[in-house]
Amino acid sequence: MTTTQALKVLVVDDEATTRLMIRANLVRESYDVISAEDGEQAVALFERERPQAVIMDLEMPVMDGYEATQEIKRMAGDLFVPVIFLTATLDEDALVRCIECGGDDFLSKPVSNPVLLAKLSAQLRIYQMTETMITQRDELRLNQIQNEQDMRIAEKVFARMVNQDTSEIGNVRKLVSPASVLSGDVLLVTTAPNGSVRVLLGDFTGHGLSAAIGTPLVCEVFYGMTAKGFSIVDVVNEMNKKLHKVLPTGLFFACVVLQLEIGEDRLTSWCGGIPDAMVRGVNGGIKHRIPSRNLALGIVGKLGANSGTTSHSLEVGDRILACSDGLAEAFNPDGELFGQKRLEKIYCEHPDSEAAFDQLSRSIADFTEGEEQTDDITMVEIVHDGRCPEKLAVGAVEKEGDLRAADWEAHFKFGVETLRAIDPLPLIVQLLAEIQGLSQHREHIYTILAELFRNSLDHGLLGLDSILKQTPDGFEKYYQLREERLAALSEGMIRIELQHEPRTTGGRLLILLEDSGPGFDYGEWENSWLSDLRAKSGRGIALVQTLCESVTYLGDGSSVCASYIWDHDGDAQGASEGT
C-alpha cells in the first residue's frame, strides 16, 4: 500500500461533470475521494470526514468557495489542509481574494489532469510534513507537561527532606535561590542532642535534577547521625563514603558544616571545596575566616587523616555567614562579576549587624537586575545570641514509647586506639534507647554523658587545662593541643558503667566514669564552681549538676558518679529541685 492510498480528497463543484471527471482521475491514482455540490455541503462534509486536501470551485450556489474555504481553514486549526481553487477567471482581484481567504494554489478550468495531480501531490507533501511537525510538537508538549509535573513532585519531596522542623531555631537566617526547579545547593539545619545548632551548606556540581540526585543521601546521613550525637567528622566521613559509591565521575559535593556550641561560645567547622565562611564580629569586620582545607565529598573513597574540624571562640553577638559559590560568581547584565570582596565588604562593613544579611540579599538582587541565574545561590547566617534553641533534636527523632523500667547494668571500657578512632557516645545513647527507651530524656542523658566523658578525656587523660579557653588565642590552642595529645597518647583508658533501677514513676540511671589519669583536687573545685558558673571552664559540669540528682567525684578525682532520675512524663529531678 502506498502513502496516497490513505489520503482523502474533498472535491467541491456545482458542476456534476467536473466532479465526476476529477473523481475518476483521483480514484485511478488511489485517492479516497468525497464530493460536494456547494460550499455549505463542503463545510459539513469536511467536519465529518476530515479530508487531507480540498479542491474547491469559486462560484457556487448557497455558499461560494471563498466563504467555504475560510470556514474549512478555521476548522482545520493548526493542521495545514491545502485548498486548491478551480477557476476560469484570470482576474487579479479574484486571485488575490483566493489567497486572502486561505487558498493555497489555483487550477484553471478546464482541468488538466497531470497538472492537477502534480499540484495535489506537492500540497500533500506539505500537509504530511506539517502533520508530522504538529504530532512531534504535541508529543513534546505532553513530555514537557509530564516533566513539569515530575519536577514539581520532586521539588516537594526534596523540600520535605531538606526542611525538617527547624522553626524553633530562630537564630538561623537563610536565602535559597535555585537556578532551576531543583537546586544543586543543599541547606540543612538541625540541633544536636546537646542543644548545639548544626548547619550544613553544600553545593553539588552543576544544578537541576542531576545535581540534586545526591540530596536524599546527604539528608539521611546528616539528620540521622546528628540526632544520635555523632560528631561532625563522623557525619562528614559517612557522607563522603556513601557519595563516593553512588556519584558518577565528575559529580561531587562541596560543603561546609558549622556547629554553634552555644554554652561554650564555640564554633566548630569542617569546610571542603566551598568558598570561605566567615565570622562577623560584634562590631563588624571579619573576626574569623573559615577557609576550605579539605577535598569536596565524593571525590575519594576515604578522607585524609588531617581532614578534621577547626574551632573558634565566639562572643554573644557574633554572626557566622556561609555562601555557595553562586553568590560570588553571579554576573550583572554587563558581564561584571559580583565577587568575594564585594560580598565581604557589604556583609562585614555594614554598620548595622542586624541588617547586614538583608542588605547582602538586596545587593545581589540589585546587582543582577533580574538577569537569569546561571547557578544556584544559597547563603545562611547563624547568630550567636546566647540562647539555646527551645527545642532540641527531639523533633528530628522519631519518638518511641519508653519501655518498662527494669534493673540492668552495662559496662564499657575504651582503650587508646578506640578513643582515637571513634566517638562512643552515640552508640551508648542508642543502646540506652534500645534497652530502656527514654526518648524524652535522650537529650539530657546525652548532655550528661558528653560532659563527663569530655572531662575524663580532655583533663584526665590528655591533661588539658580549661583556663586556656578563656582567651581567643588560647581557645584555638586548646583544641590544637587536644588533637596533638590524642594522636600522641600511648596508654590510658576510660571506663563507663551504667546502672539502672526502676522507681514508682520511672527510674534512676547511675552513670559512673573512670579514667586512668592522675585525677584532680575536686574538693577545691567543688568549693569554687558555683561562683564561677559564668567562666568558660566549669560551665559544662554546672549544667550537668542542674540535670542530675547528684554529681559526685570519687577517690583521687579520676572517677565521677552522676545520678539521673527520670519519670514517664518526661521530667527529670535535678540538683536544684532537691532529692
Side-chain angles (χ1 to χ4, degrees):
M1 179 179 291
T2 64
T3 304
T4 55
Q5 287 177 304
L7 297 176
K8 185 180 292 185
V9 179
L10 170 60
V11 178
V12 188
D13 201 303
D14 58 339
E15 294 181 3
T17 304
T18 303
R19 294 198 308 270
L20 290 172
M21 183 190 67
I22 295 175
R23 178 187 183 87
N25 290 332
L26 294 181
V27 168
R28 194 161 46 244
E29 296 297 326
S30 300
Y31 286 102
D32 182 10
V33 180
I34 55 178
S35 56
E37 296 179 8
D38 55 50
E40 188 175 89
Q41 283 186 11
V43 170
L45 205 54
F46 180 86
E47 185 175 22
R48 187 175 68 243
E49 299 290 336
R50 293 290 171 175
Q52 282 77 48
V54 179
I55 298 174
M56 178 75 74
D57 191 16
L58 274 181
E59 303 296 337
M60 292 179 293
V62 184
M63 180 184 290
D64 62 24
Y66 301 117
E67 187 177 353
T69 297
Q70 288 177 320
E71 188 62 20
I72 286 172
K73 288 288 187 178
R74 185 191 65 77
M75 288 191 290
D78 292 339
L79 183 63
F80 173 74
V81 177
V83 175
I84 301 174
F85 276 110
L86 300 176
T87 177
T89 181
L90 296 176
D91 179 66
E92 287 187 352
D93 291 340
L95 296 178
V96 168
R97 190 180 174 194
C98 289
I99 298 297
E100 290 175 344
C101 71
D104 300 291
D105 207 343
F106 312 99
L107 193 60
S108 300
K109 286 184 177 181
V111 175
S112 165
N113 188 51
V115 175
L116 169 64
L117 293 177
K119 290 195 172 188
L120 182 60
S121 178
Q123 292 294 335
L124 285 173
R125 284 198 296 272
I126 299 174
Y127 164 82
Q128 290 173 324
M129 183 174 64
T130 56
E131 185 186 45
T132 300
M133 291 174 60
I134 289 173
T135 301
Q136 292 175 340
R137 181 203 63 186
D138 291 344
E139 290 175 351
L140 285 172
R141 185 175 294 168
L142 287 174
N143 287 337
Q144 184 180 9
I145 292 172
Q146 183 62 48
N147 184 56
E148 289 174 353
Q149 290 176 341
D150 292 344
M151 294 293 275
R152 281 196 292 272
I153 293 172
E155 184 185 20
K156 289 181 180 178
V157 171
F158 274 66
R160 288 174 183 172
M161 285 189 296
V162 171
N163 300 317
Q164 297 210 7
D165 184 10
T166 58
S167 57
E168 302 293 339
I169 308 176
N171 58 344
V172 177
R173 304 167 75 183
K174 302 175 277 188
L175 171 70
V176 179
S177 178
S180 59
V181 175
L182 292 178
S183 173
D185 284 0
V186 179
L187 179 58
L188 309 178
V189 182
T190 189
T191 51
N194 64 356
S196 58
V197 178
R198 184 177 289 183
V199 173
L200 179 149
L201 189 153
D203 182 3
F204 280 101
T205 318
H207 56 269
L209 179 60
S210 61
I213 201 165
T215 300
L217 187 152
V218 169
C219 292
E220 178 187 359
V221 174
F222 179 80
Y223 284 127
M225 293 186 69
T226 299
K228 293 177 181 176
F230 283 93
S231 69
I232 289 178
V233 171
D234 289 336
V235 172
V236 167
N237 277 307
E238 184 66 15
M239 284 194 293
N240 178 69
K241 186 172 65 176
K242 292 192 172 184
L243 288 172
H244 183 256
K245 284 183 180 177
V246 302
L247 294 183
T249 302
L251 187 60
F252 52 84
F253 184 57
C255 69
V256 58
V257 184
L258 306 163
Q259 180 156 318
L260 175 58
E261 311 278 0
I262 296 172
E264 300 182 21
D265 297 330
R266 176 162 63 105
L267 173 67
T268 304
S269 61
W270 187 99
C271 190
I274 208 162
D276 293 358
M278 67 197 78
V279 177
R280 176 194 157 114
V282 178
N283 299 315
I286 298 178
K287 184 173 184 177
H288 300 296
R289 187 179 292 279
I290 305 170
S292 171
R293 294 177 175 172
N294 304 284
L295 279 176
L297 304 183
I299 297 176
V300 296
K302 187 175 182 180
L303 297 175
N306 296 325
S307 182
T309 56
T310 57
S311 295
H312 296 91
S313 64
L314 298 177
E315 296 176 74
V316 172
D318 287 348
R319 295 165 182 269
I320 306 110
L321 180 75
C323 308
S324 63
D325 59 3
L327 181 59
E329 296 176 2
F331 287 92
N332 66 12
D334 297 329
E336 184 184 0
L337 191 68
F338 191 74
Q340 185 71 17
K341 287 185 178 178
R342 190 195 312 262
L343 185 161
E344 293 177 1
K345 181 179 177 61
I346 293 171
Y347 181 72
C348 294
E349 296 184 11
H350 195 283
D352 183 355
S353 60
E354 185 65 28
F357 185 83
D358 290 338
Q359 180 60 51
L360 184 56
S361 301
R362 287 194 296 272
S363 296
I364 187 65
D366 294 342
F367 179 81
T368 56
E369 298 181 22
E371 192 78 355
E372 184 177 356
Q373 283 183 224
T374 57
D375 199 359
D376 306 311
I377 294 176
T378 304
M379 63 178 186
V380 61
E381 179 189 61
I382 311 169
V383 182
H384 180 29
D385 56 10
R387 294 183 296 112
C388 290
E390 296 176 7
K391 187 176 182 181
L392 304 184
V394 173
V397 181
E398 183 179 356
K399 292 183 179 180
E400 67 275 22
D402 291 340
L403 303 176
R404 184 174 181 179
D407 273 317
W408 55 267
E409 291 184 15
H411 302 259
F412 308 89
K413 183 179 178 182
F414 303 104
V416 172
E417 293 302 324
T418 305
L419 294 172
R420 255 200 296 266
I422 66 167
D423 177 1
L425 296 186
L427 300 176
I428 293 175
V429 173
Q430 185 63 29
L431 180 66
L432 270 169
E434 296 291 335
I435 296 176
Q436 197 61 68
L438 298 178
S439 58
Q440 298 180 75
H441 299 267
R442 184 193 297 260
E443 297 80 19
H444 287 174
I445 294 173
Y446 183 91
T447 300
I448 296 166
L449 276 168
E451 185 60 33
L452 298 182
F453 182 83
R454 185 166 52 195
N455 282 346
S456 291
L457 180 60
D458 287 14
H459 309 316
L461 293 187
L462 303 181
L464 293 165
D465 190 341
S466 289
I467 292 177
L468 269 178
K469 293 195 284 187
Q470 293 185 0
T471 64
D473 291 342
F475 190 90
E476 295 180 24
K477 180 68 174 175
Y478 179 94
Y479 286 97
Q480 182 182 346
L481 282 174
R482 188 181 191 278
E483 288 190 16
E484 292 173 359
R485 292 187 183 182
L486 184 58
L489 191 66
S490 59
E491 59 181 17
M493 68 87 196
I494 294 177
R495 190 171 65 85
I496 300 177
E497 182 177 327
L498 304 176
Q499 297 179 13
H500 184 265
E501 61 183 26
R503 289 165 56 96
T504 305
T505 58
R508 172 188 280 122
L509 178 66
L510 291 177
I511 303 172
L512 176 65
L513 268 86
E514 178 187 0
D515 64 69
S516 58
F520 73 107
D521 186 355
Y522 57 88
E524 180 182 350
W525 172 83
E526 286 179 337
N527 290 330
S528 63
W529 75 268
L530 283 172
S531 62
D532 194 31
L533 284 178
R534 298 192 65 78
K536 287 182 180 294
S537 59
R539 282 191 297 178
I541 201 66
L543 174 61
V544 173
Q545 291 271 13
T546 66
L547 297 176
C548 293
E549 175 195 28
S550 64
V551 179
T552 308
Y553 278 89
L554 307 170
D556 60 1
S558 60
S559 300
V560 59
C561 181
S563 173
Y564 180 77
I565 294 179
W566 63 272
D567 63 32
H568 291 288
D569 295 328
D571 296 330
Q573 187 179 44
S576 60
E577 302 169 65
T579 58

